[in-house]
Structures are given as structure tokens and as C-alpha cells.
Amino acid sequence: AAAAAASAVLAHELSWVRERAAEAVTSRIRLAAALTSLGLSPLPSDANFLCVPCRRAQPLSERLLARGFGLRVLNDLPPVTPALAASQGAAIRVTVGPWPLMEQLLAAWQAENVECE
């Protein structure tokens, strides 16, 4: 049923799909810029998520979860950037969503004031 619905949307509502994809790209770019302005170093991404090196990824994730934001903690990533080397391979994976939700996440992240690097 889900595949049939997706096929119908793609066949008849391609402009809607393109608009949502463009919104996702815009939100990802804005989120990366906002995280950078907080002194973080999100890795380059063409996906629907950003990976943010953070040595204290686990405690930050737990604190943000208490605020209603579920973020995935990644460990043991290779030190391919200075930020990943500084974080000892720990990072937080942030799925990009609608911009108002990303603004709420950014406010919660700032309120937690956890040093990442």
C-alpha cells in the first residue's frame, strides 16, 4: 500500500515532491550554517541529515532527548576531519526536518551548553 501511494504521488504530484525536496535541502544548509555559528563543525552532507562531531555526544543526546529531540549517537568514526579527530570519533547525527523544528532543536542545543570539542 505504501509503495502504491508513493508511486501515485510521484506520478501525479511531482511538483509537490520537488518542493519538499527543495525545502529539505534549504533546511539542511540553514542548519549547517547555524551549527557552524555555534562553533560546531558539521560534516559536509548531501543527505537528509548532518553529522556533528561532538566528544560529549552521548550526554548531549540524552539531555536533548529529555527535551523531546531524538538524535543518534555515532561512535568510533574515523578521524577524517580535524573535528572528528578532536571528538575522538564521536558525533551526533541530526535528521533534518522542517525549519521551525530545527529552530527549536537549535534553541535546546544552545540551552544545554554542552562543549562538543
Side-chain angles (χ1 to χ4, degrees), residues 20-97:
R20 299 298 76 72
E23 287 175 9
V25 169
T26 299
S27 287
R28 185 187 67 229
I29 292 167
R30 289 179 74 184
L31 181 60
L35 290 167
T36 300
S37 75
L38 295 178
L40 301 167
S41 301
L43 302 178
S45 176
D46 289 324
N48 68 337
F49 65 89
L50 290 173
C51 183
V52 184
C54 183
R55 183 179 296 189
R56 300 190 39 124
Q58 188 63 46
L60 177 59
S61 175
E62 290 169 5
R63 290 166 73 170
L64 289 172
L65 181 60
R67 291 175 171 265
F69 297 96
L71 306 174
R72 184 173 173 200
V73 174
L74 305 172
N75 289 303
D76 301 320
L77 297 173
V80 295
T81 68
L84 276 172
S87 73
Q88 299 175 334
I92 291 182
R93 182 191 185 278
V94 181
T95 300
V96 178

